[in-house]
Amino acid sequence: MVIRLMEAMITIYNYTHHSIHKKAVRQHAEMIMKVAENSFEKSHDLEDIRRRSEAILGSSENHYLI
């Protein structure tokens, strides 16, 4: 479910045009990543969501800007 939530954030982000709204979506994507890192047991699931999150957050070095 968390991976699907990230996919929804990507869709929203792609249709968002105002910078303040994009910032809000990025913040939510960062929160989703924190939940994933604290709860995913399988490394391939975590890598999957990290790859997907790059559409919003960029590379993994840019995560957690909150």
Side-chain angles (χ1 to χ4, degrees):
M1 182 176 141
V2 177
I3 292 172
R4 298 298 174 243
L5 184 57
M6 183 62 78
E7 289 176 347
M9 290 290 103
I10 293 166
T11 300
I12 293 166
Y13 188 81
N14 288 336
Y15 284 96
T16 300
H17 301 289
H18 295 91
S19 61
I20 193 162
H21 297 149
K22 284 192 175 286
K23 181 180 177 182
V25 175
R26 276 193 304 273
Q27 289 174 335
H28 281 84
E30 289 169 350
M31 288 186 275
I32 293 167
M33 281 304 305
K34 287 180 185 179
V35 167
E37 289 186 337
N38 290 325
S39 61
F40 281 14
E41 295 178 9
K42 297 183 179 179
S43 62
H44 67 275
D45 287 338
L46 188 55
E47 183 55 35
D48 184 12
I49 197 166
R50 280 187 178 136
R51 271 194 321 275
R52 292 168 196 263
S53 74
E54 289 178 359
I56 299 172
L57 302 174
S59 65
S60 59
E61 303 92 53
N62 296 329
H63 290 186
Y64 314 114
L65 303 174
I66 296 176

